[in-house]
Amino acid sequence: MQALKKYFTIFITSIFIFLFIILISNVYSAKNSGTFYLKDIEGDRSILEDISITGELTDDLHRKLFSIKENEINTRTELYNTPIGRYDNYKFIPGGPLVLGEKEYEVYGENDFDIIYHNIREREKVGLAFVRTEFNQTQNRFSNALEFGLTSIEDKIYFTVPTTADYSGFNGIYELHFVEGGHSFMPTHEKEEASVLTTYPLDQNNMSVLGLESVGEKLALIIKIENDLVIRGFTMNGLELGEAHFDDFFISISQDDSTSYPYDIFVNEDDEIVTLSFQKEYYPIQHQIANIDFSDGPKAINIVNPKIDDGIRDFHNHIEHMLFKNNKLYIILTTREHNNDQSFHYGLPISFFIYVYEPTKLLYKGEIVTDINDDLLMYRNVTSITNRGQLNKNRTLANINIK
């Protein structure tokens, strides 16, 4: 009887071991399964030979890394040892902080300005910089969120004020100096005032300053004069490098209040080519895009006006990258299905597209097809407000790069 029990125990244990092995095998075979391929919709895929696209589809527990090189898509899956809670998928949203390096920056003020940072990983680490200006205004409003005036080159932070045509006098480009542990309630005499790299007059031709950007070790001042787009280049020491000019650029751009002109900027670091994108329409998605060569002072290249009718822009989880290379504009972006009922917005399918344009025509359109929308089945069947807030547990696209 004892021998029978012994053999029975061995038999049951063997079955459990066998089932466990099958389970583990299924898990590891499943980790590299799933939908992930490039679908050609229009044009010849060979046009992608000049670029590479990398990124990942990730959630708290794993990520699928992908790359598109020489027209082919390759994937690899990694499992996390412990769950993660942050994805490198940051995109500046006007009204929120601007991330530069490991810090978040916010700007406050009307005539003089406090710039405050928080360290992303160590929130208790803060700093304050102070800018004293030399302009006058008839209305306290700005052309863009104040953070559009911030940029960085290596460990240096620069600032200009996004002024409207209501301002007169002089604006400037400032190098900021931060007091660690500083806060906006400090007496002014304890704040460290910014250095003035250069000043420029505001009393000309209905002029609005839209922002300040960095291109390698150069600064780019983005300006609207009447309906023209002007990009002025400066060295890190404030020496002017010239300007690029696009006539009548803003005539076709409709804005809600006619004074705010937010934009996205993309820089081809290898060739020092800047792509400035202004959104003209929400649906269908329409852009007014200017390409500028910064390799030898700013020079205007061309304007591209893509129209994308494959969905709407998702402002909170939107992925969009652009690269101007070999006289072609490459655009990769995500869209959500258009639906008039916006209360159901986050339950709508996501698509991931690649577009290639010459200045006047579409050369290629493709879709990176994934099973990311399988996660939306859970969202659509969840009614708890608490659970709906846990969207970061669904997979998201992150670390997207094109070069």
Side-chain angles (χ1 to χ4, degrees), residues 23 27 47 67 104 107 113 126 137 139 146 176 256 280 298 324 367 393:
L23 177 63
V27 168
I47 204 166
S67 65
E104 293 178 340
V107 186
F113 297 86
V126 298
Q137 72 269 26
Q139 295 189 51
L146 288 169
L176 303 183
D256 293 337
K280 294 169 62 174
F324 188 84
E367 181 180 2
K393 291 188 176 179

Side-chain angles (χ1 to χ4, degrees), residues 114-126:
D114 289 335
I115 297 91
I116 299 171
Y117 77 72
H118 289 84
N119 189 290
I120 294 173
R121 302 185 186 279
E122 300 176 82
R123 299 294 298 179
E124 70 279 3
K125 291 188 176 180
V126 298

Side-chain angles (χ1 to χ4, degrees), residues 79-90:
L79 304 178
Y80 299 130
N81 293 325
T82 57
I84 65 168
R86 179 180 174 87
Y87 312 127
D88 186 7
N89 197 25
Y90 166 79

Side-chain angles (χ1 to χ4, degrees), residues 25 28 107 151 171 182 203 245 321 326 348:
S25 298
Y28 274 86
V107 186
T151 193
N171 202 339
D203 309 298
H245 204 112
H321 288 267
N326 296 338
L348 297 173

Side-chain angles (χ1 to χ4, degrees), residues 292-359:
I292 308 102
D293 185 351
F294 251 81
S295 61
D296 186 25
K299 293 181 176 62
I301 300 176
N302 59 24
I303 296 174
V304 183
N305 293 285
K307 180 180 178 181
I308 296 167
D309 54 6
D310 297 297
I312 60 174
R313 181 170 180 167
D314 183 350
F315 284 96
H316 293 284
N317 297 296
H318 182 65
I319 297 289
E320 184 173 57
H321 288 267
M322 300 184 189
L323 177 75
F324 188 84
K325 187 174 182 178
N326 296 338
N327 206 38
K328 301 179 187 67
L329 180 65
Y330 298 84
I331 302 173
I332 54 176
L333 84 164
T334 57
T335 64
R336 281 194 187 266
E337 182 180 288
H338 182 247
N339 188 299
N340 291 327
D341 182 7
Q342 290 302 300
S343 64
F344 201 56
H345 179 75
Y346 289 108
L348 297 173
I350 301 167
S351 299
F352 189 21
F353 292 103
I354 304 173
Y355 301 87
V356 184
Y357 285 88
E358 281 186 340

Side-chain angles (χ1 to χ4, degrees), residues 16-206:
F16 276 112
I17 292 173
F18 177 72
L19 292 175
F20 180 74
I21 291 173
I22 291 176
L23 177 63
I24 293 298
S25 298
N26 286 339
V27 168
Y28 274 86
S29 62
K31 82 183 181 82
N32 287 314
S33 64
T35 304
F36 221 113
Y37 64 92
L38 178 59
K39 179 174 73 174
D40 300 321
I41 299 174
E42 183 175 338
D44 190 339
R45 185 187 298 190
S46 64
I47 204 166
L48 303 179
E49 288 179 350
D50 292 339
I51 65 164
S52 65
I53 301 171
T54 57
E56 60 189 67
L57 183 61
T58 183
D59 62 16
D60 285 345
L61 301 174
H62 79 292
R63 65 178 179 174
K64 184 181 288 290
L65 297 106
F66 71 89
S67 65
I68 300 175
K69 295 179 180 178
E70 298 179 354
N71 309 334
E72 297 296 328
I73 188 166
N74 295 290
T75 64
R76 175 171 56 89
T77 302
E78 293 182 355
L79 304 178
Y80 299 130
N81 293 325
T82 57
I84 65 168
R86 179 180 174 87
Y87 312 127
D88 186 7
N89 197 25
Y90 166 79
K91 183 175 179 63
F92 172 63
I93 298 176
L98 174 70
V99 173
L100 298 173
E102 293 294 318
K103 297 172 182 175
E104 293 178 340
Y105 293 85
E106 294 177 281
V107 186
Y108 300 92
E110 293 181 352
N111 296 297
D112 298 329
F113 297 86
D114 289 335
I115 297 91
I116 299 171
Y117 77 72
H118 289 84
N119 189 290
I120 294 173
R121 302 185 186 279
E122 300 176 82
R123 299 294 298 179
E124 70 279 3
K125 291 188 176 180
V126 298
L128 174 76
F130 177 68
V131 172
R132 190 187 303 277
T133 61
E134 301 178 17
F135 50 61
N136 303 300
Q137 72 269 26
T138 57
Q139 295 189 51
N140 287 326
R141 60 179 181 175
F142 302 100
S143 66
N144 275 324
L146 288 169
E147 288 75 17
F148 272 91
L150 283 172
T151 193
S152 65
I153 298 177
E154 297 177 347
D155 60 345
K156 295 183 177 181
I157 308 297
Y158 301 91
F159 178 67
T160 198
V161 183
T163 50
T164 67
D166 299 313
Y167 287 70
S168 60
F170 287 84
N171 202 339
I173 297 177
Y174 305 89
E175 181 182 341
L176 303 183
H177 307 294
F178 287 87
V179 176
E180 292 189 10
H183 52 82
S184 57
F185 299 107
M186 291 173 60
T188 301
H189 69 272
E190 293 183 11
K191 300 177 182 179
E192 187 167 354
E193 195 166 329
S195 302
V196 181
L197 295 186
T198 188
T199 60
Y200 53 92
L202 298 173
D203 309 298
Q204 56 176 344
N205 302 325
N206 198 22

